[in-house]
Amino acid sequence: MTDRGVLGVRGVRHAVRRGAERVGAATPAGRDRAVDALRAVAVLGVVLGHWLVTALVADSGTLRTASPLRYLPWLTPVSWMFQTLAVFFLVGGHVATRGLASARARGIPYHHWLTARLTRLFTPVAAVLTLWTIAALALLLSGAEFGTVRTLVKLALSPLWFLVVFAALTAATPLLARLNPLWPLAVVLHVDLLRFGLGGPSWLGWANVAAGWLVPYTLGAAWTRGELERRRAGWILFAGGAVTTAGLVAWAGYPASMVGVPGQGVSNLDPPTLAVVTFGLAQCGLALLLRERLRRAMRRPVAWAAVALVNLSAMTVFLWHQTALMATTATGLLAGHLPGLHTVPDSLGWVAARLLWLPVFALALAVCWAAFRSFEQGAGGRGRRSRVVRAHRPSDRGTAAAARHV
């Protein structure tokens, strides 16, 4: 590398470090950065999981969904690594109950608190719905096959189910703040006993959409109450959840995959089963055990700045990552059926090719982020300062952007 190149690299590193140090200096001293780190891990886990196990196969002019987990069952552990929704609900319950208590202490009415939270949650959704409504109509009018359009819209809007459940739990936070997680866990257990053990109707499983995610959400409330501070609690959740999940898979016939697999008779996620809930308990236990290490890691300026950036754009990343995948897939069709993008995910070659496509997906997501992040930042930045960083220099664009985070 030439001297000019070395100086250029050093200049970039210096600029990154300076920006990171400014974000760190503007962060409130008492902020628990481990919470933000866990949220970032949960969001990125969902994104990478979808990019790795969602395939759009081009077949006779149509696109259909497929999953490598159906053809390559040895990839099942991927679903264990990247199915991180339980951690998100854990953090969500903790942040919501803590925020509600803080609002009450400051005399802020419940409806004002809830309106602010739901506005930050759903304002970015308007952009997704608008774009895909226009895109779907344009595709149908141009003669695109209805099944293809349905597949694309279903994938693009699939993240919205999570937001509906999360919003409902947020609205019920005053009622859930002291609910013992064993109660919703018991509901999940009995629902599964009825539908799997006693042959009850399958529609009973939809009760687990609320009850299943109530378990980590109420664990987050218990965290706020200080009931999960001892490492023993983390170990009990981790070990108990892992052993129970293994037993359910080995002896009770639950699928080993923690995400839905096309063609599989039972999905652990749609609706949630007891296995995915106990697996979530193990994840929550591991998250609690890692808190101190994350707090130490977040003392590093660059690491904290990266986590702050993900939290700043969490909703945008979550809502648009599937669109980034589909935009890349559709654009790639112009060059023919490309391996890892349009081919059946049934070989190690597909896996290797898909890994090479991940940076392209990330680039497409960066384009979506640049185009639509204003919806998220606008929703959280009107009239108040961020809870991640409270102070910033008006001349510092990087820190000012972080200051709008909610």
Side-chain angles (χ1 to χ4, degrees), residues 42-108:
V43 170
L44 294 180
V46 170
V47 171
L48 287 174
H50 281 159
W51 285 354
L52 287 170
V53 303
T54 302
L56 285 168
V57 179
D59 184 15
S60 302
T62 64
L63 288 175
R64 60 180 177 84
T65 57
S67 172
L69 299 178
R70 178 180 180 182
Y71 301 95
L72 307 169
W74 55 269
L75 285 176
T76 295
V78 171
S79 72
W80 307 342
M81 296 173 59
F82 296 111
Q83 206 289 74
T84 50
L85 284 174
V87 176
F88 199 102
F89 278 96
L90 170 75
V91 172
H94 175 54
V95 171
T97 49
R98 189 177 60 184
L100 180 60
S102 175
R104 285 172 169 171
R106 289 177 287 143
I108 298 176

Side-chain angles (χ1 to χ4, degrees), residues 123-361:
T123 297
V125 172
V128 178
L129 290 176
T130 300
L131 182 140
W132 274 101
T133 299
I134 296 172
L137 290 174
L139 288 170
L140 290 173
L141 291 174
S142 67
E145 201 266 338
F146 177 78
T148 295
V149 177
R150 181 178 180 275
T151 295
L152 295 177
V153 172
K154 183 178 179 180
L155 281 177
L157 301 185
S158 60
L160 297 186
W161 75 262
F162 154 83
L163 295 182
V164 173
V165 176
F166 193 79
L169 297 186
T170 299
T173 297
L175 302 176
L176 304 176
R178 304 203 66 84
L179 181 67
N180 191 310
L182 290 177
W183 287 109
L185 180 61
V187 172
V188 176
L189 171 62
H190 283 84
V191 167
D192 275 19
L193 281 175
L194 286 173
R195 60 182 183 134
F196 296 139
L198 301 177
S202 60
W203 56 261
L204 283 174
W206 294 107
N208 285 350
V209 174
W213 300 118
L214 256 177
V215 175
Y217 194 87
T218 51
L219 276 175
W223 180 0
T224 300
R225 298 194 300 269
E227 298 174 6
L228 303 179
E229 290 304 313
R230 298 179 64 181
R231 289 184 63 82
R232 179 184 177 186
W235 279 114
I236 290 174
L237 288 170
F238 175 64
V243 170
T244 303
T245 304
L248 290 171
V249 171
W251 297 302
Y254 284 86
S257 172
M258 291 301 138
V259 298
V261 179
Q264 196 172 58
V266 176
S267 167
N268 271 324
L269 197 58
D270 187 25
T273 64
L274 180 62
V276 85
V277 173
T278 57
F279 178 77
L281 290 177
Q283 284 187 317
C284 291
L286 182 60
L288 294 172
L289 290 171
L290 291 175
R291 282 178 297 182
E292 287 304 320
R293 290 189 179 184
L294 289 172
R295 286 165 185 152
R296 290 194 295 269
M298 291 302 102
R299 294 171 189 165
R300 301 172 183 173
V302 174
W304 168 241
V307 165
L309 178 62
V310 173
N311 278 269
L312 168 69
S313 308
M315 280 294 297
T316 302
V317 169
F318 181 79
L319 289 171
W320 290 98
H321 73 278
Q322 293 283 58
T323 299
L325 168 66
M326 287 180 284
T328 304
T329 303
T331 304
L333 278 174
L334 299 175
H337 290 192
L338 301 176
L341 201 60
H342 310 110
T343 52
V344 178
D346 59 356
S347 67
L348 189 60
W350 184 93
V351 175
R354 175 51 64 102
L355 292 175
L356 295 177
W357 281 109
L358 292 183
V360 183
F361 298 157

